[in-house]
Amino acid sequence: MGNVLSLLLPQALSTLGSSNNRARRLASRPVDAAHSARKVPKPLFWADLPADIRLRILEAVTQQRHRGWTSAAAVSTEWQDVIEKENFRRLYLRRESLRFLEARMKFNDRPGQATTRIRAARMETLVRHVEYIHLDIELPRYNCDQCASDLELRDQGIIGSTLLILLGVLRTWESRRQGKELTLELSVCSPSDVEHHFKNFFFKPTTTHMQTDQRVRPRQRPGIDHGWIKGRQIVPPPRSAVLRLYTRVESCDGLGVLGGGVGVVTGLNLGRNIRRFFQPASFQLWQLFGCFPRLTTLNYEPWRPWEEDKMWAADHIFGIMMINSLSKNLKNLTIFEDFNQNLDDIIVGPTDVVNVYRRISRRTTDELPKKLSRYLSNLEHLSVAYMINAEDFFIAKTSSETDHQPWLRTLALTSQLLRKESLADPDKLTMIDQLLYDAALAARRMRCLRTLVVWYGMEGEACAFIYQREKGTRRSCITWRGTWELELSQRVRKAWKQTADIITGEVWDWEATLRFEYQHLEGRIGNHGDAIALLDLPVEVVSPGSLWQIRKEHEGIPWSHKHEGDILEVEPPDSEID
């Protein structure tokens, strides 16, 4: 223990702050001073430190995460309690480790078997402390002869069986968790995905606990390797390879056997790194959502369907699915429909009329906004990007006399009307004015509303209409932020002043103080990820890790579209996906 203290104690104490004189005095004293002929100060032992100082030292050890920091849990029970709490907080599981976890949970505490009791106690500790589980489902490999073929990747039931194992284990945790929150995140990919045409793509979630760039970089073959040479992709992947990567894998029919669901999971992340897997209208997604009756937070980032004629049907089915399968306890819902315009060129063609329309517009239906507006009444946060138009949501909100969302605090929606080309079209300017007016009317039915954002961003442009109410005051602010300017009409200004008075009057019985601001943005916007980063919205519309992935995947592609201007640097995500 003396060696461990001599290594960790000075480093840990140095992080406690220069203002803590007491800590500095303790750090300057020897931990294990050798006895000599001369009189030396009395050795300072770990037990001599005050309890609060010991706790701060251990917390510093867990934050620094030096190599081998987890082995310090073996020093004592006190160290074990603090270090294992942080070590077990996030679990990364694959099918093999999941089998091991399943076997460990089937313990039998037999009298007289000390080893079994110790293992049982360790599993109880894990169950108590874990807050986040990342399940990595690995699909079979494929070779170069198959990477560009039209054959779908057969998952052989791996996805469904792996999920069943995990959910079966989690059901045994319910009595031990005592209502604590647990977030589940999934990733589904084959190790071969990054070894062929898509070396610049991410297939795992990105968080601050990972390195800046987690893409596997296989050894480059001589010459052109799947369109790549010297680390750059100079030839786009073939159409068949793209369709193979974004195919739908359906093998989760067995999830319906989990009667009663898994109550221990309160958060679910289905990130854009899942290229395959569930589509919005799939029956498997319906079953998965139905497995979590206590779900309070859902972050869903599907990919836009390739078939234009199937979008309306998919949106309609997705709306029905949310009503019937999502938990009534859901409070935070974020839906971000991702897309890649470079891949659109490959699938449809850069000069195809349908593709040109697809670049500037997404076919939407008013059925999904109606479902979101009328049935998810307990939401506190709602963000839907690129899947619906904000005007449809606000019309549905104002057309019903009984449609209220009293607990909604933050709302963020996209609208395809908010494009620079609308300035040259009087009809579209009138529609934008009506959109912002309807937003003011709809906000009056959200008495707890603090932030409302109507925005849009794509290659070359970005803009946002932002309403914010300062917490604890009667001050509110309307901000227009973007690469192009829009003059708000007096009709819109008056409507939002009345809305601010109504919302503020519910709390303060005063009139609100409303100010209007205009913020002009400049910078290179090469993709929708750049647009979101430049807008710097007060509401999280996509997870930080996914936003970082979008921008990184569009870097250095010679065959992609370019825009001149200042370069926006891509920084790693600064928050976790929990």
Side-chain angles (χ1 to χ4, degrees), residues 454-506:
V454 183
W455 67 281
Y456 194 72
M458 59 178 297
E459 182 183 3
E461 61 180 272
C463 65
F465 173 88
I466 304 172
Y467 163 78
Q468 288 181 290
R469 178 169 62 90
E470 295 183 16
K471 183 178 180 180
T473 70
R474 60 189 180 94
R475 293 190 296 270
S476 301
C477 178
I478 296 289
T479 304
W480 175 265
R481 181 184 301 165
T483 56
W484 56 279
E485 296 183 2
L486 175 70
E487 184 67 28
L488 301 180
S489 67
Q490 290 299 321
R491 176 171 174 256
V492 170
R493 289 170 175 262
K494 183 179 179 180
W496 275 104
K497 179 61 169 66
Q498 294 174 350
T499 298
D501 290 341
I502 292 174
I503 296 177
T504 304
E506 289 287 320

Side-chain angles (χ1 to χ4, degrees), residues 106-144:
K106 296 179 180 179
F107 57 82
N108 183 13
D109 191 7
R110 300 174 182 175
Q113 293 190 3
T115 303
T116 303
R117 289 195 297 270
I118 293 175
R119 289 178 178 176
R122 302 256 316 161
M123 291 307 303
E124 291 289 343
T125 302
L126 183 149
V127 171
R128 278 198 315 272
H129 294 322
V130 64
E131 299 176 3
Y132 168 91
I133 294 178
H134 169 207
L135 178 61
D136 182 14
I137 303 178
E138 185 175 295
L139 300 180
R141 285 181 172 272
Y142 51 87
N143 55 36
C144 293

Side-chain angles (χ1 to χ4, degrees), residues 526-559:
N527 53 79
H528 55 297
D530 289 342
I532 297 173
L534 185 62
L535 285 173
D536 191 22
L537 300 174
V539 179
E540 186 174 291
V541 298
V542 60
S543 64
S546 294
L547 176 59
W548 182 80
Q549 290 182 1
I550 293 171
R551 303 180 69 193
K552 290 293 290 185
E553 289 181 1
H554 283 81
E555 285 184 348
I557 303 179
W559 47 272

Side-chain angles (χ1 to χ4, degrees), residues 3 8 122 127 216 248 310 419 462 551:
N3 293 334
L8 296 180
R122 302 256 316 161
V127 171
V216 178
R248 181 171 58 192
K310 295 183 180 180
R419 301 189 64 245
R551 303 180 69 193

Side-chain angles (χ1 to χ4, degrees), residues 163 166-168 170-171 174 182-186 255 258 260-270 278 284-298 325-330:
L163 281 173
L166 175 63
L167 298 182
L170 294 180
R171 292 190 71 174
E174 296 182 13
L182 175 65
T183 298
L184 173 63
E185 181 154 18
L186 304 179
L255 297 180
L258 294 173
V262 181
V264 71
V265 176
T266 58
L268 180 62
N269 290 339
L270 301 177
F278 305 113
Q284 286 72 25
L285 186 63
W286 193 330
Q287 284 188 325
L288 181 64
F289 287 166
C291 289
F292 309 116
R294 291 185 59 242
L295 194 67
T296 59
T297 301
L298 173 61
S325 61
L326 283 180
S327 167
K328 303 303 180 183
N329 301 315
L330 191 67

